Structures are given as C-alpha cells and as structure tokens.
Amino acid sequence: MRRKTLEALLAGEFICSIAYPLEYEDLQDEQVREAVSRWLEPLERRLARVNDNGAFYMAPDLIGTDEVRQVREEMRAYRDIYAPAFMALDLIRQADPDSGALEPGEYVQASRLETSLGTNPVLEMQLNSLAGSVRRFVMKNSMRDRIDAVLDHLTAEGFLVQVEKDRANYRFTGRIEHLWAVAEFIEQHEPIAKEADTKSGQDDLLDDGDLGEPTP
C-alpha cells in the first residue's frame, strides 16, 4: 500500500487512472483495498467507489445527522457549489461536439475551444456568464485567457488534469462521473431542497433515511 494512496484519500481526492495512475493501480489489489478499509475504520470512514470501474474516494462509514445536514446545505447552495462546473462542462460540450459524453479519459483542447467560441457569439456569451463564478476570470481579458481560466477552474476542482502544458491539452478525470451522480441526486431531491428553503428552521423536513450518499 502506497503512502500517497492514503494521503490522496485523506485529502478528499478521487483516485482514478487519469489523475492518480499509480495510486489507482495500487487500489486494484484486493488486499490493498482491505488494508485501506481497516486503516480508515477508526476514522469512521470507508473506501468507496463511483461505480464498478470508476474512481475511488473516501466516504463516511455511516450516514448520520451531520452528514444528512451537510447534504441538505449543499442542495440549498446548489448554484454556488455545482452550477459553475455544470455550466463550464455544458459550454465545452457545445463548443467541441467531438468531446462526446465528457467521460473519464476524454480530451479537451483549449485551442479548439477558442476557435469554436471565437466564431459563435452565443457561446461567447455563455462563456462570459461564468464571470464571478470562476477564479481568475476577467471579462476584459482575451478569449484564450478566459477559456484558460475556466479550464484552470475545472482542473483545480479535480475534473481535469493537464497533460500537455505547451498545447493546453487536458483529460477528464474519474471525478466527472461523481459529478454526474451528484447531478442525478440533486434532480431527484430538488423538490425537497425547495421545500427546505421555504420552511427554513424546521428540522423535520427529511427523515435521516430519505437522504443517502449521492454515489455508492
């Protein structure tokens, strides 16, 4: 078991073959997974996975009151927490039709986005709508600088890794699958979140059993 594997898990990272290839290979070993699980047990944490072939990450061992409360708060703060990432990814999807379903391992090239956005005023408006939500995004900067700011933001959030710095090429990591799972979870529970907003201060909006983790 690699030390960096544990360090990445404790840091809240999603360990996939793209972002953490050695650590991901480490966790392919069943004995290593069992050792990690034993190591996390006293911390009331467990080794979880987005899906059968997806990224590994650390999750609470049990879903208690604190975890339910955190999920409620994240649902109420949806626009601040998740919306910038969804908007940026939707922009990439529209600007680069060849990007496919935005799955782990797929590539994103800044120069292709720049060419597409430079000839599409609607997409440029969509890009500019990210001002205020994306770090280092400055409206007066060039098109390329604004695109770089968006890609840097997605990289900092763990959805992309830069594979060719000189050419500004990126690849999606396994965390993208977790985001889609969160999106599905929010969609399913959005009526509950809206009810919570209109009845703030009431602690009995949801029973603990109504909310689980957004992913396995």
Side-chain angles (χ1 to χ4, degrees):
M1 179 172 58
R2 298 173 182 272
R3 176 178 175 178
K4 289 186 176 180
T5 301
L6 293 175
E7 290 176 342
L9 287 169
L10 288 175
E13 302 292 345
F14 285 74
I15 300 179
C16 69
S17 61
I18 307 301
Y20 292 92
L22 295 179
E23 292 76 9
Y24 183 78
E25 181 181 357
D26 195 22
L27 290 172
Q28 296 301 305
D29 189 315
E30 184 177 356
Q31 292 183 345
V32 171
R33 294 197 301 272
E34 292 176 353
V36 169
S37 296
R38 291 193 298 270
W39 194 87
L40 292 175
E41 187 175 352
L43 304 177
E44 297 183 349
R45 296 292 185 270
R46 64 181 176 87
L47 182 65
R49 201 169 189 181
V50 175
N51 55 49
D52 290 343
N53 298 305
F56 295 94
Y57 65 101
M58 183 180 67
D61 190 22
L62 296 173
I63 299 298
T65 302
D66 291 341
E67 288 74 24
V68 171
R69 184 181 300 112
Q70 180 180 353
V71 172
R72 286 179 181 149
E73 292 173 354
E74 289 186 359
M75 288 167 62
R76 293 184 185 120
Y78 161 73
R79 296 188 180 186
D80 293 331
I81 297 174
Y82 298 115
F86 287 131
M87 292 169 62
L89 292 169
D90 183 56
L91 177 66
I92 292 173
R93 194 198 309 270
Q94 293 186 64
D96 187 2
D98 294 334
S99 61
L102 306 188
E103 297 177 344
E106 291 186 359
Y107 288 87
V108 178
Q109 191 173 49
S111 60
R112 293 186 64 174
L113 296 179
E114 183 180 11
T115 299
S116 182
L117 269 65
T119 57
N120 191 323
V122 174
L123 289 182
E124 183 175 4
M125 288 177 60
Q126 187 172 339
L127 171 68
N128 292 338
S129 70
L130 292 168
S133 301
V134 169
R135 294 180 290 272
R136 298 193 309 100
F137 191 104
V138 180
M139 288 288 292
K140 66 180 180 180
N141 282 355
S142 68
M143 172 79 74
R144 180 55 180 268
D145 286 341
R146 284 174 282 160
I147 291 172
D148 286 343
V150 172
L151 296 177
D152 287 346
H153 178 84
L154 292 174
T155 301
E157 294 297 324
F159 300 114
L160 293 175
V161 292
Q162 192 169 13
V163 292
E164 292 181 72
K165 187 173 182 179
D166 293 341
R167 298 182 61 188
N169 284 345
Y170 299 78
R171 294 186 77 184
F172 282 108
T173 71
R175 189 169 190 179
I176 194 73
E177 292 182 313
H178 182 262
L179 184 67
W180 301 145
V182 169
E184 182 179 356
F185 177 83
I186 290 175
E187 183 178 358
Q188 292 173 352
H189 293 86
E190 188 174 9
I192 299 174
K194 289 179 179 178
E195 182 181 1
D197 285 334
T198 59
K199 298 182 181 179
S200 59
Q202 297 183 16
D203 294 330
D204 59 345
L205 287 173
L206 297 171
D207 294 327
D208 287 358
D210 290 336
L211 283 178
E213 292 175 77
T215 57

